[in-house]
């Protein structure tokens, strides 16, 4: 007896037993095997079965797209062999001869584990190319992981005739029973990295399988880089359902490979999307060359950098008497000054690897927050001098007197990000912030003052002048202050 197992993309697996005589295959409604697909001719091929000799021959009926056996097009009558694969258009037909003693595609698989070897995988990929092409076609444009897994599960359920099929991700392995799948079978599949098949036996079947009324179950691990990243789990509850076969095992293994590729692709896409959002968020505060450091920090524990104490240099720059200037120029005129001021200052801060935070009509910049920065005192002073020079040029274009003061203080501070991911804000706290703010108040107009520690680090490179000690609000001790002298001391006025 000859049986054909017919795989039509998107439909449940069909079986057809050859009848003695002619068995016509094609789109025509009067055919023995009706395959209503655009790529198939009305009368595409013919299988002649001689019951006396128990032989079957295949003949192409001058079809438009040809008939193929084991990936070779036939041009004359072909004697069918056990386990041949016939391709007619997009349909795959597996041939099984019931009297053959060898293992077959329709033979019931034994209960237990079935190792996923490289040879088995390659064979499965070769035998089920049409089905895998359809799976790949459906999945390649999907970027939502849940939707992708649902698509794969739906296809498998149809082809395998299962009552339930689901792809379960690694992070859900501890919820198997809640999802309606026996745990014991899954654990064996994970531990041995093999397909596990279980048939119901009241003496040996686990309590969880009995409770779920599972009569036959198949569980295949989805493996990537030798790690089980998901499980393909399906079962049949109907007592009249066919047992799992070699062909179904091959299909499951082939699709598990496709699922692994899909899961990895979607996870990578999601990761890239998240990284892009983080990059855009960080670039509000950080120079482009520093963004990679913060993304690396995020990848360690999947959280944005938390508040932590660091030894940094803090720069405070503010426009002098901005209230009066805004009143004089009006909202539009003053807004244009602020826009150019922020744009210019930010570019300079980023060039010197700093992080910027806008404060009304001033900016606060932090240097040395990343661990790979060792010259943050120098970078802060360079930034301050460059801002003073840029403001001198901008003042001439403004045609209004715009004065600023800049203070730099080096010391410990608490820096990091606060707030929910959607409204994350950079912040810096500590005495160094307070001192930098006070230094810039004494740096007006158009001067750059630094504290003692900053001065010690940069005094060999700049001309400096010691100033009277400064009283800082909230501090008992006075603050030593130094002015950096080698810069344009005054802006021109219009």
């Amino acid at each position: 007896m000859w049986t054909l197992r017919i795989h039509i993309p998107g439909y449940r697996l069909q079986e057809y037993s050859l009848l003695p005589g002619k068995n016509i295959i094609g789109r025509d409604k009067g055919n023995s095997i009706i395959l209503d697909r655009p790529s198939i001719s009305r009368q595409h091929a013919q299988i002649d079965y001689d019951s006396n000799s128990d032989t079957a021959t295949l003949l192409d009926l001058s079809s438009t797209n040809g008939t193929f056996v084991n990936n070779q097009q036939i041009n004359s009558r072909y004697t069918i062999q056990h386990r041949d694969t016939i391709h007619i258009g997009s349909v795959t037909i597996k041939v099984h001869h019931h009297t053959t003693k060898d293992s077959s595609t329709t033979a019931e698989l034994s209960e237990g584990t079935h190792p996923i070897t490289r040879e088995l995988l390659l064979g499965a990929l070769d035998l089920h190319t049409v089905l895998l092409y359809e799976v790949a076609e459906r999945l390649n444009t999907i970027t939502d992981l849940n939707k992708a897994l649902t698509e794969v599960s739906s296809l498998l359920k149809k082809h395998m005739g299962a009552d339930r099929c689901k792809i379960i991700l690694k992070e859900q392995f501890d919820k198997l029973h809640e999802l309606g799948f026996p745990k014991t079978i899954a654990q064996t599949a994970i531990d041995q990295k093999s397909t596990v098949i279980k048939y119901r036996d009241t003496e040996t079947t686990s309590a969880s399988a009995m409770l779920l009324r599972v009569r036959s179950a198949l569980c295949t691990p989805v493996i990537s880089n030798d790690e089980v990243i998901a499980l393909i789990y399906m079962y049949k509850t109907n007592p009249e359902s066919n047992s799992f076969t070699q062909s179904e095992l091959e299909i499951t293994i082939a699709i598990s490979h496709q699922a692994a590729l899909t899961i990895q692709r979607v996870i990578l896409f999601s990761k890239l999307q998240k990284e892009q959002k983080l990059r855009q968020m960080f670039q509000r505060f950080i120079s482009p060359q520093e963004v990679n450091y913060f993304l690396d920090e995020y990848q360690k524990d999947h959280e944005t950098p938390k508040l932590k104490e660091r030894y940094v240099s803090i720069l405070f720059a503010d426009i002098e008497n901005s209230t009066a200037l805004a009143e004089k120029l009006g909202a539009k005129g003053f807004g244009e000054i602020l826009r150019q001021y922020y744009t210019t200052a930010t570019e300079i801060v980023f060039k010197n690897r700093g992080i910027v935070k806008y404060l009304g009509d001033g900016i606060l910049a932090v240097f040395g927050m990343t661990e790979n920065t060792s010259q943050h005192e120098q970078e802060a002073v360079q930034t301050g001098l460059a801002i003073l020079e840029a403001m001198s040029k901008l003042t001439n274009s403004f045609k209004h007197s715009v004065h600023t003061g800049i203070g730099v203080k080096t010391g410990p501070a608490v820096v990091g990000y606060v707030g929910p991911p959607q409204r994350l804000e950079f912040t810096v706290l500590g005495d160094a912030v307070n001192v930098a703010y006070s230094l810039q108040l004494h740096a007006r107009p158009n001067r750059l003052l630094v504290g003692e520690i900053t001065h010690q680090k940069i005094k060999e490179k700049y001309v400096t002048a010691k100033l009277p000690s400064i009283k800082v609000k909230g501090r008992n001790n006075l603050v030593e202050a130094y002015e950096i002298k080698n810069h344009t001391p005054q802006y021109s006025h219009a």
Side-chain angles (χ1 to χ4, degrees), residues 19-20 79 95 132 145 153 201 216 326 377 398 453:
L19 299 175
T79 300
V95 179
L132 289 176
L145 185 55
S153 299
D201 182 330
S216 58
E377 300 91 351
F398 292 154
I453 299 175

Side-chain angles (χ1 to χ4, degrees), residues 25 43 55 60 74 100 111 143 152 161 189 293 310 383 430 441 445:
I25 305 171
Q43 291 189 328
T55 58
D60 181 76
I74 62 169
T100 301
E111 185 177 76
T143 56
V152 176
Y293 166 80
R310 290 191 183 276
T383 299
L441 289 175

Side-chain angles (χ1 to χ4, degrees), residues 37-56:
R37 308 290 282 186
S39 58
I40 296 175
S41 300
R42 293 179 64 83
Q43 291 189 328
H44 195 108
Q46 174 180 313
I47 298 178
D48 293 318
Y49 175 46
D50 184 344
S51 58
N52 294 324
S53 61
D54 196 24
T55 58

Side-chain angles (χ1 to χ4, degrees), residues 165-379:
C165 181
K166 187 175 180 63
I167 298 180
I168 303 167
L169 293 174
K170 182 179 181 179
E171 53 266 30
Q172 298 175 301
F173 286 175
D174 60 342
K175 300 179 180 177
L176 283 165
H177 194 273
E178 296 175 29
L179 295 170
F181 294 94
K183 295 180 180 179
T184 51
I185 300 173
Q187 197 58 54
T188 302
I190 295 168
D191 293 341
Q192 299 189 24
K193 295 179 181 175
S194 300
T195 295
V196 178
I197 294 177
K198 186 74 175 177
Y199 299 117
R200 182 168 179 176
D201 182 330
T202 55
E203 294 182 0
T204 61
T205 302
S206 68
S208 58
M210 292 286 288
L211 181 63
L212 295 167
R213 298 182 180 179
V214 174
R215 294 191 174 274
S216 58
L218 182 150
C219 184
T220 294
V222 177
I223 302 172
S224 176
N225 297 323
D226 203 37
E227 177 188 0
V228 178
I229 61 173
L231 291 171
I232 295 178
Y233 214 148
M234 68 184 75
Y235 60 72
K236 300 177 181 180
T237 57
N238 188 340
E240 297 181 359
S241 296
N242 294 327
S243 301
F244 291 109
T245 65
Q246 177 68 25
S247 177
E248 291 172 333
L249 174 65
E250 292 170 354
I251 291 173
T252 308
I253 290 173
I255 291 186
S256 76
H257 177 71
Q258 187 74 43
L261 297 176
T262 299
I263 291 170
Q264 292 295 79
R265 177 181 62 80
V266 175
I267 288 175
L268 178 60
F269 180 78
S270 177
K271 180 180 177 181
L272 290 175
Q273 277 192 318
K274 186 177 291 185
E275 182 176 308
Q276 182 62 27
K277 289 180 181 179
L278 286 169
R279 187 177 293 276
Q280 292 174 350
M281 177 189 68
F282 284 137
Q283 284 178 342
R284 294 169 54 198
F285 320 106
I286 310 170
S287 59
Q289 57 267 41
E290 294 294 284
V291 171
N292 288 336
Y293 166 80
F294 287 91
L295 290 177
D296 290 341
E297 286 283 296
Y298 175 82
Q299 295 302 331
K300 291 177 183 178
D301 54 10
H302 299 287
E303 293 184 1
T304 51
K306 298 177 182 178
L307 289 173
K308 61 177 67 175
E309 185 175 86
R310 290 191 183 276
Y311 195 77
V312 295
S313 291
I314 294 173
L315 178 148
F316 218 115
D318 203 8
I319 295 176
E320 182 182 22
N321 201 15
S322 58
T323 302
L325 187 62
E327 184 178 359
K328 178 180 179 181
L329 300 179
K332 183 177 180 180
F334 185 63
E336 178 58 22
I337 288 176
L338 279 183
R339 185 189 68 79
Q340 294 192 48
Y341 171 61
Y342 284 149
T343 300
T344 302
T346 299
E347 289 176 354
I348 295 170
V349 171
F350 284 178
K351 183 178 180 181
N352 288 284
R353 300 196 300 174
I355 302 171
V356 68
K357 181 178 178 66
Y358 303 120
L359 301 169
D361 53 5
I363 64 166
L364 183 153
V366 180
F367 301 84
M369 184 170 170
T370 60
E371 295 173 348
N372 58 353
T373 302
S374 59
Q375 301 293 324
H376 50 84
E377 300 91 351
Q378 174 70 22
E379 291 165 344

Side-chain angles (χ1 to χ4, degrees), residues 105-122:
T105 56
T106 56
E108 178 182 309
L109 287 171
S110 60
E111 185 177 76
T113 59
H114 298 262
I116 303 174
T117 63
R118 184 174 183 273
E119 291 73 20
L120 183 59
L121 173 60
L122 292 176

